[in-house]
């Protein structure tokens, strides 16, 4: 081989290897780009601070290859909690699990204050011992309402603290803990007797015979203690034993001259199951018993003819369950019993099926039922302004049907379409009390209107995530209620006049959230909630409430893993809107605070 040929071969070899290298680099670049576009992501979006609702049910986590979902997914939102302050993510907004403790403190306009503290005394593979404390308060002077000249000052001091411990054995988990809650608030709503006279006299306000107690604070106190042990989920023989105690008490009754009620609830939860050997099938039975005991200190008889009565609620559920990597099926039934004045035995299905249709699409269906406890503690969490001198009957839901489909077939987009139908006896809707106050009355109570009701609902939600820079979600729900008055509600609802509204509940709800992270330490979040077509009933007159249009903004900046700061602006549209009739919300207000992880 000549020298000239050797040079030609060498040049050809170099060019060929360069070409292969460039091709490999180009292929690698395309692969990296595809991996960036198809990267695994969690489409969940931070909850915005809604003035009128609890945080949404957490959506399932989506990955590139599989769809993971909760075995008990509920497309429906939990009950909306009407509060003076926007609800926040307590003990979840700060990644305290990365450190032993966390501390958050914020304050702003209208004397809004929020704070959270927690510390892990123990945190290892087998033991967790955690203490926490949360605080929310406000003292807000609200603008003149309805031109009456009556000033309103909303006051709230809400506190919750507790301790939780659990220990993992080889055969199961032991848990122990307790919580204490203290909530002080005033009935700041427009006095209903004045409101009634205002409506009857063309906005000429007549003197009140008995001034209402607008500055005196009501106090709700709660105590909760629990202990339990349960086996591992995959145990051949499964068991569950939980014991829990709740105590709820109010300082005052209907007026400051009457003591409030005391409610004690004892709960026992038992469960046993057996897995077929070398099988993914299981049969079992669970039972739950709640005993309620009431005392009205102002009554020597220990009870009130119109108030809560001692009673027991029992639910027994036998079931068969099958599951594999893609599907989960449960067949069962609920046998439910309520004793006392509402004594009744009734049945409901307990059936669910869910699983993957394709690699990126899953469907689910669930048919169930339950006893709505409607005890004083549960009702106070829904509406703290309720008059507990009047009993709220337990609800009986004998059919709650839900079905839906979730899909991630569009890259970076998570979609869900769902619908449901529910039939309930003694459903709970809140309306303003139509009795006019006596001396030292608080002046604006709510109480429960309980017709039989059915609900048809449909909705859809969309989530989009682009890498770590951008998250967006949109959810819409349409609710269609049909009501049938019971004998006890005829006087209230005006059956002969055809009053059939789902009082206080929105017909249309829209949730929208947007989170942008322009630089690594900074997160900007917008949240919007619409609650449209709400009604109330006052003195046999249906009144349409203003739509809730709640727009909020939050900016969070983390200086490092230890220190951070945030700013919130709530009710950016500066709307004076009612959550309950006569109870307007704060208008535009802001607060700022700091986060510390240690």
């Amino acid at each position: 081989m000549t020298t000239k040929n050797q040079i030609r071969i060498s040049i050809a070899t170099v060019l060929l290897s360069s070409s292969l290298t460039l091709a490999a680099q180009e292929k690698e670049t395309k692969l990296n780009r595809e991996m960036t576009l198809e990267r695994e992501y969690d489409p969940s979006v931070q909850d915005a601070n809604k003035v009128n609702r609890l945080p949404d049910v957490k959506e399932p986590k989506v990955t590139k290859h599989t769809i993971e979902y909760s075995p008990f997914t509920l497309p429906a939102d939990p009950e909306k909690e009407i509060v003076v302050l926007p609800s926040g993510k307590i003990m979840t907004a700060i990644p305290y699990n990365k450190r032993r403790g966390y501390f958050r403190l914020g304050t702003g306009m209208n004397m809004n204050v929020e704070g959270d503290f927690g510390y892990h005394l123990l945190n290892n593979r087998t033991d967790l011992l955690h203490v926490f404390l949360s605080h929310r308060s406000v003292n807000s002077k609200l603008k003149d309402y309805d031109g009456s000249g009556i000033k309103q000052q909303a006051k709230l001091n809400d506190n919750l603290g507790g301790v939780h411990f659990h220990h993992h054995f080889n055969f199961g988990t032991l848990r122990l803990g307790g919580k204490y809650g203290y909530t002080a608030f005033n009935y700041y709503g427009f006095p209903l007797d004045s409101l009634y006279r205002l409506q009857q006299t063309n906005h000429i306000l007549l003197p009140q015979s008995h001034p209402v107690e607008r500055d005196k604070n009501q106090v709700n106190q709660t105590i909760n203690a629990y202990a339990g042990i349960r086996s591992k989920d995959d145990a051949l023989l499964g068991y569950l034993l939980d014991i829990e105690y709740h105590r709820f008490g109010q300082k005052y009754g209907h007026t400051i001259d009457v003591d409030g009620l005391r409610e004690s609830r004892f709960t026992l939860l038992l469960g046993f199951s057996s897995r077929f050997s070398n099988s993914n099938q299981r049969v079992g039975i669970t039972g739950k018993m709640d005993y309620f005991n009431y005392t009205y200190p102002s009554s020597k008889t220990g009870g009130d003819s119109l108030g809560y009565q001692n009673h027991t609620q029992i639910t027994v559920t036998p079931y068969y369950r099958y599951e594999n990597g893609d599907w989960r099926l449960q067949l069962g039934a609920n046998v439910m019993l309520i004793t006392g004045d509402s004594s009744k035995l009734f049945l409901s299905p307990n059936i669910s099926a869910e699983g993957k249709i394709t690699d990126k699409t899953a469907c689910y269906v669930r048919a169930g039922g339950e006893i709505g406890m409607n005890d004083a503690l549960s009702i106070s969490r829904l509406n703290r302004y309720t008059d507990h001198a009047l009993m709220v009957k337990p609800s009986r839901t004998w059919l709650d049907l839900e079905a839906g489909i979730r899909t991630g077939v569009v890259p970076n987009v998570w979609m869900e379409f769902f619908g449901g139908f529910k039939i309930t006896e003694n459903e709970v809707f809140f309306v303003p009390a139509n009795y006019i106050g006596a001396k030292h009355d608080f002046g604006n109570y709510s109480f429960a209107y309980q017709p039989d009701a059915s609900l048809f609902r449909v909705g859809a939600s969309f989530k989009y995530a682009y890498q770590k820079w951008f998250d967006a979600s949109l959810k819409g729900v349409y609710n269609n209620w049909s009501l049938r008055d019971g004998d006890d509600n005829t006087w209230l609802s005006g059956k002969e006049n055809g009053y059939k509204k789902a009082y206080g509940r929105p017909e249309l709800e829209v949730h929208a959230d947007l989170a942008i992270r322009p630089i690594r330490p900074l997160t900007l979040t917008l949240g919007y909630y619409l609650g449209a077509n709400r009604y109330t009933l006052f003195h046999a007159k249906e009144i349409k409430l203003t739509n809730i249009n709640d727009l909020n903004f939050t900016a969070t900046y983390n200086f490092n893993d230890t220190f951070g700061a945030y700013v919130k602006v709530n009710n950016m549209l500066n709307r004076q809107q009612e959550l309950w009739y006569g109870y307007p919300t704060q208008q535009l207000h802001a607060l700022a605070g700091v986060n510390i992880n240690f």
Side-chain angles (χ1 to χ4, degrees):
M1 182 180 297
T2 64
T3 303
K4 186 175 182 179
N5 288 336
Q6 289 179 351
I7 293 174
R8 290 176 178 175
I9 292 174
S10 299
I11 293 174
T13 302
V14 171
L15 292 175
L16 179 60
S17 89
S18 300
S19 175
L20 292 174
T21 301
L22 290 173
Q25 290 176 347
E26 182 180 2
K27 182 178 180 180
E28 183 180 359
T29 302
K30 290 181 179 179
L31 180 61
N32 287 337
R33 186 180 300 116
E34 289 174 359
M35 292 179 66
T36 300
L37 292 175
E38 298 290 336
R39 58 181 293 277
E40 298 183 2
Y41 69 98
D42 183 352
S44 60
V45 179
Q46 297 178 358
D47 289 333
N49 294 291
K50 297 292 188 276
V51 78
N52 69 309
R53 65 185 180 105
L54 292 172
D56 292 341
V57 174
K58 182 176 176 59
E59 301 288 351
K61 181 180 178 181
V62 183
T63 66
K64 174 183 174 182
H65 301 291
T66 62
I67 294 179
E68 300 177 5
Y69 52 91
S70 166
F72 299 102
T73 299
L74 294 178
D77 289 335
E79 280 285 357
K80 301 295 181 277
E81 179 184 10
I82 306 300
V83 296
V84 177
L85 277 175
S87 58
K89 296 173 65 177
I90 300 175
M91 295 181 297
T92 58
I94 303 170
Y96 62 88
N97 57 327
K98 296 181 179 179
R99 300 286 186 91
R100 283 276 186 176
Y102 63 92
F103 174 75
R104 179 174 71 161
L105 179 63
T107 185
M109 300 166 58
N110 301 333
M111 296 184 67
N112 282 274
V113 179
E114 62 179 21
D116 297 297
F117 168 80
Y119 189 75
H120 287 169
L121 299 172
L122 292 174
N123 189 6
N124 53 51
R125 295 183 62 183
T126 59
D127 296 288
L128 173 66
L129 178 59
H130 177 61
V131 294
F132 64 91
L133 176 65
S134 177
H135 169 83
R136 300 291 184 273
S137 63
V138 64
N139 193 337
S140 174
K141 292 184 178 180
L142 304 176
K143 292 186 177 181
D144 183 18
Y145 181 76
D146 204 21
S148 65
I150 294 181
K151 302 297 183 181
Q152 293 176 296
Q153 186 165 355
K155 295 187 290 184
L156 172 67
N157 186 345
D158 191 20
N159 305 274
L160 178 66
V163 57
H164 172 78
F165 170 78
H166 71 240
H167 175 77
H168 296 297
F169 297 95
N170 292 332
F171 53 84
T173 300
L174 169 71
R175 74 183 190 105
L176 301 167
K179 291 179 285 187
Y180 171 73
Y182 178 94
T183 302
F185 60 95
N186 69 324
Y187 295 85
Y188 74 92
F190 195 102
L192 294 182
D193 56 341
S194 298
L195 184 59
Y196 177 67
R197 288 181 285 111
L198 183 72
Q199 292 177 343
Q200 302 302 312
T201 58
N202 296 320
H203 293 262
I204 300 175
L205 188 63
L206 300 178
Q208 295 183 16
S209 57
H210 299 296
V212 295
E213 295 289 345
R214 303 177 61 77
D215 297 325
K216 198 77 170 182
N217 283 349
Q218 176 69 278
V219 176
N220 292 346
Q221 296 189 71
T222 60
I223 298 174
N224 171 232
Y226 56 87
I229 188 169
R230 65 179 61 200
S231 63
K232 292 185 176 181
D233 293 339
D234 59 350
L236 181 61
L237 296 175
Y239 58 86
L240 165 66
L241 171 62
D242 270 323
I243 302 173
E244 193 162 2
Y245 171 74
H246 284 91
R247 181 175 176 83
F248 172 80
Q250 278 200 311
K251 184 176 182 179
Y252 301 112
H254 185 66
T255 74
I256 64 173
D257 299 321
V258 178
D259 293 333
L261 90 164
R262 304 289 185 269
E263 173 186 80
S264 296
R265 184 175 92 207
F266 302 88
T267 300
L268 174 64
L269 181 62
L270 284 170
F272 299 96
S273 65
S274 175
R275 176 171 57 85
F276 297 135
S277 181
N278 299 323
S279 173
N280 48 11
Q281 303 178 71
R282 182 177 290 270
V283 294
I285 185 170
T286 59
K288 181 183 180 184
M289 181 181 72
D290 292 290
Y291 172 71
F292 299 86
N293 180 271
Y294 295 92
T295 302
Y296 289 83
S298 61
S299 172
K300 295 181 180 180
T301 62
D304 191 302
S305 60
L306 297 178
Y308 287 92
Q309 303 295 322
N310 300 345
H311 68 282
T312 302
Q313 299 175 7
I314 300 173
T315 301
V316 178
T317 306
Y319 64 88
Y320 162 81
R321 183 178 299 161
Y322 168 82
E323 56 185 313
N324 57 29
D326 295 332
W327 284 89
R328 178 187 178 99
L329 171 69
Q330 177 167 303
L331 302 175
N334 297 322
V335 182
M336 292 168 281
L337 172 67
I338 303 173
T339 68
D341 292 343
S342 301
S343 178
K344 188 171 184 179
L345 176 69
F346 68 107
L347 305 175
S348 78
N350 191 316
I351 300 171
S352 64
E354 49 198 315
K356 295 194 300 183
I357 301 176
T358 66
D359 286 343
K360 295 183 179 181
T361 302
C363 66
Y364 58 89
V365 61
R366 184 181 73 87
E370 64 178 358
I371 298 174
M373 292 187 295
N374 296 341
D375 56 311
L377 174 59
S378 301
I379 293 298
S380 69
R381 287 173 174 170
L382 296 175
N383 184 346
R384 64 170 61 93
Y385 308 106
T386 301
D387 182 5
H388 296 293
L390 301 176
M391 178 183 181
V392 183
K393 294 181 179 180
S395 300
R396 306 179 186 92
T397 299
W398 58 270
L399 178 62
D400 187 357
L401 178 66
E402 296 174 326
I405 184 170
R406 301 184 299 267
T407 180
V409 294
V410 179
N412 296 342
V413 177
W414 177 248
M415 297 180 289
E416 180 174 4
F417 305 91
F418 56 87
F421 182 73
K422 183 173 73 168
I423 301 176
T424 303
E425 297 179 17
N426 297 326
E427 182 63 88
V428 177
F429 305 94
F430 293 103
V431 296
N434 59 4
Y435 43 78
I436 296 181
K439 186 177 181 180
H440 296 155
D441 195 291
F442 284 111
N444 190 335
Y445 277 107
S446 296
F447 70 101
Y449 163 48
Q450 291 193 273
D452 299 339
S454 62
L455 168 65
F456 170 74
R457 64 194 304 270
V458 293
S461 64
F462 303 88
K463 290 180 180 288
Y464 174 78
Y466 177 72
Q467 299 185 12
K468 297 181 179 180
W469 310 110
F470 179 87
D471 294 315
S473 69
L474 177 65
K475 181 177 182 179
V477 182
Y478 170 74
N479 302 294
N480 185 285
W481 288 91
S482 297
L483 277 60
R484 180 176 64 85
D485 294 309
D487 294 338
D488 294 338
N489 291 307
T490 301
W491 65 273
L492 167 67
S493 62
K495 184 176 181 180
E496 67 281 0
N497 295 323
Y499 296 136
K500 297 289 185 180
K501 301 293 185 182
Y503 301 118
R505 307 285 186 93
E507 182 181 31
L508 175 65
E509 293 183 278
V510 176
H511 312 256
D513 298 284
L514 173 66
I516 302 174
R517 304 169 188 86
I519 56 176
R520 182 179 179 85
L522 179 64
T523 301
L524 305 176
T525 304
L526 272 176
Y528 173 74
Y529 173 78
L530 168 66
N533 296 336
R534 300 181 304 136
Y535 290 84
T536 193
L537 182 70
F538 184 57
H539 280 280
K541 180 180 180 181
E542 282 186 348
I543 301 171
K544 186 173 183 179
L545 301 175
T546 57
N547 293 341
I548 297 176
N549 284 278
D550 188 39
L551 180 65
N552 303 285
F553 170 77
T554 302
T556 303
Y557 190 92
N558 295 316
F559 298 98
N560 50 45
D561 291 339
T562 301
F563 296 101
Y566 65 92
V567 175
K568 294 181 180 180
V569 183
N570 299 311
N571 196 0
M572 294 177 63
L573 301 179
N574 198 34
R575 292 174 57 88
Q576 184 166 321
Q577 50 205 2
E578 296 172 292
L579 299 178
W580 303 113
Y581 188 49
Y583 281 93
T585 66
Q586 298 181 73
Q587 293 183 269
L588 186 145
H589 59 285
L591 69 160
V594 295
N595 301 330
I596 301 176
N597 299 320
F598 55 92

